[in-house]
Amino acid sequence: MTYSIIYSSRSGNTKQLANTIYDLLNEHNKTILGSTCINEPDTTDETLKTLSNASCIFIGFWTDKGSCEESLQQLLQTLEHKTIFLFGTAGFGGSKPYFDTILNRVSSLCSPTNTIIGTYMCQGKMPSSVRSRYEQMKAKNPEDNKWDMMIENFDHASSHPDMNDIEQLKRSILPIL
């Protein structure tokens, strides 16, 4: 079986997971056709085509409005008859039901001819500008406790993906190797 890793990463969280997968595949002497970030400027259609020729594709994303971002949505809709493992990060939330909702949305973008053999999702840190925006909104609306919750979530997310997240990712992949 041949493997490829295709991902989108905005702040480095999903890239960290992709690198973990790459290292894990190498440790198990798996054939890797490549690993590419689709939102980097040097990514070509030919690179994506080569990677999509793998028998198993690990597809990673950062969460944008409750799903994966646009370029990854487009890629998912082009894949047919592939074996796919989806992985992602989300700045907000840390609950399995929230992550499952996102993973279900992303899975629904895939053709029914594909087989999704696994999924993994964890929280990821956000840029400091997000916390600043929350603080500004709290200052404008001090009676709205929502902003305290948002700031608390931001602070919690700042350490993710952490070593526990990485170990959970590995445990979710090992059974399929």
Side-chain angles (χ1 to χ4, degrees):
M1 186 173 272
T2 58
Y3 298 86
S4 67
I5 304 163
I6 300 172
Y7 65 96
S8 176
S9 188
R10 187 175 190 178
S11 59
N13 300 322
T14 308
K15 182 177 184 173
Q16 184 179 352
L17 298 183
N19 289 340
T20 297
I21 295 168
Y22 185 88
D23 292 344
L24 187 65
L25 292 171
N26 267 333
E27 287 171 21
H28 287 82
N29 298 315
K30 301 299 179 183
T31 303
I32 306 168
L33 296 182
S35 178
T36 224
C37 182
I38 65 170
N39 52 332
E40 289 180 355
D42 62 344
T43 303
T44 65
D45 288 339
E46 191 59 37
T47 301
L48 293 174
K49 184 177 179 191
T50 300
L51 293 176
S52 70
N53 286 331
S55 47
C56 180
I57 308 172
F58 290 88
I59 301 176
F61 61 92
W62 57 277
T63 302
D64 184 26
K65 300 175 196 95
S67 188
C68 58
E69 55 91 18
E70 183 66 31
S71 62
L72 199 62
Q73 287 182 27
Q74 292 171 4
L75 174 70
L76 285 170
Q77 293 168 354
T78 67
L79 298 175
E80 299 261 337
H81 306 285
K82 298 294 178 186
T83 300
I84 296 171
F85 184 100
L86 292 173
F87 65 99
T89 59
F92 189 79
S95 72
K96 183 171 174 17
Y98 176 68
F99 291 155
D100 287 347
T101 298
I102 295 167
L103 287 164
N104 287 335
R105 266 189 213 120
V106 175
S107 296
S108 73
L109 298 169
C110 296
S111 163
T113 66
N114 295 313
T115 303
I116 297 176
I117 59 169
T119 61
Y120 177 78
M121 205 160 171
C122 69
Q123 194 165 26
K125 61 189 152 295
M126 297 172 273
S128 59
S129 60
V130 172
R131 191 177 204 286
S132 296
R133 187 174 65 234
Y134 293 164
E135 289 169 343
Q136 290 169 1
M137 294 306 293
K138 179 176 173 51
K140 288 179 183 176
N141 305 293
E143 69 288 343
D144 189 347
N145 294 332
K146 167 176 85 172
W147 300 109
D148 292 325
M149 181 190 70
M150 301 293 271
I151 291 168
E152 183 179 329
N153 177 75
F154 176 92
D155 292 343
H156 182 275
S158 66
S159 64
H160 292 272
D162 62 17
M163 289 310 297
N164 184 48
D165 298 324
I166 297 300
E167 288 307 312
Q168 286 183 22
L169 172 62
K170 289 178 181 179
R171 282 194 300 272
S172 68
I173 292 172
L174 284 173
I176 64 170
L177 295 183

